[in-house]
């Protein structure tokens, strides 16, 4: 990742990414270096440790220290037979996966479009698989009780 370094009345360093999908649906600052685009994530929230901002459409947006934004995924379903698929962009990093009361982690070395597949059949429990190009990044089979099925995915960092 590239960095923006500023000095003067305010100093700071801001990491940028070369993958625009890493910033989610956020506003961004695009910087070209050697004909390659890099992106810094912008937000209306002022970080406590920097004053770098841009004005866009009469609004002030502050450059965020970390360009990667991943909103945790939370999914619940009543117990019964069902199948659900999600197509999601996962930025590189370590992820925490919770299936009902069990937690596990896995790491993605580079961002990827993945398919999250969750299915439950009465008597067989729940299967959760996270795959990229047909290859498992994560797979968990778990017996479940008579309650609902809960799935959570959150990014823990690089």
């Amino acid at each position: 990742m590239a960095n923006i370094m500023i000095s003067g009345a305010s100093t700071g360093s801001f990491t940028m990414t070369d993958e625009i999908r890493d910033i989610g649906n956020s506003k961004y600052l695009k910087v070209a270096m050697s004909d390659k685009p890099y992106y810094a994530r912008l937000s209306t929230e002022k970080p406590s440790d920097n004053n770098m901002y841009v004005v866009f459409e009469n609004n002030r947006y502050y450059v965020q220290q970390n360009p990667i934004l991943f909103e945790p995924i939370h999914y619940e379903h009543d117990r019964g037979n069902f199948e659900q698929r999600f197509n999601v962009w996962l930025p590189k990093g370590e992820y925490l996966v919770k299936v009902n009361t069990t937690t596990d982690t896995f790491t993605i070395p580079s961002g990827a479009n993945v398919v999250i597949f969750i299915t439950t059949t009465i008597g067989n429990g729940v299967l959760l698989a996270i795959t990229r190009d047909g290859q498992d990044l994560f797979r968990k089979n778990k017996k479940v009780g008579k309650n609902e099925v809960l799935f959570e995915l959150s990014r823990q960092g690089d």
Side-chain angles (χ1 to χ4, degrees), residues 75-82 120 146-150:
Y75 181 78
E76 292 181 48
H77 195 281
D78 292 337
R79 181 75 171 100
N81 294 332
F82 74 91
T120 299
K146 297 180 181 178
N147 299 329
E148 64 198 12
V149 174
L150 167 71

Side-chain angles (χ1 to χ4, degrees), residues 37-57:
Y38 290 91
Y39 306 92
R41 184 169 51 90
L42 301 175
S43 174
T44 56
E45 295 178 25
K46 182 186 181 299
S48 61
D49 58 348
N50 85 63
N51 291 319
M52 186 172 172
Y53 66 89
V54 296
V55 176
F56 180 70
E57 296 176 350

Side-chain angles (χ1 to χ4, degrees), residues 1 22 68 89-95 107-112 155 157-158:
M1 288 192 189
D22 287 349
I68 296 175
W89 171 261
L90 295 183
K92 73 172 185 166
E94 183 177 352
Y95 289 85
T107 302
I108 295 180
S110 63
R155 186 174 181 273
D158 295 331

Side-chain angles (χ1 to χ4, degrees), residues 130-138:
I130 301 174
T131 62
R132 173 179 52 193
D133 300 327
Q135 300 292 322
D136 283 351
L137 297 171
F138 180 86

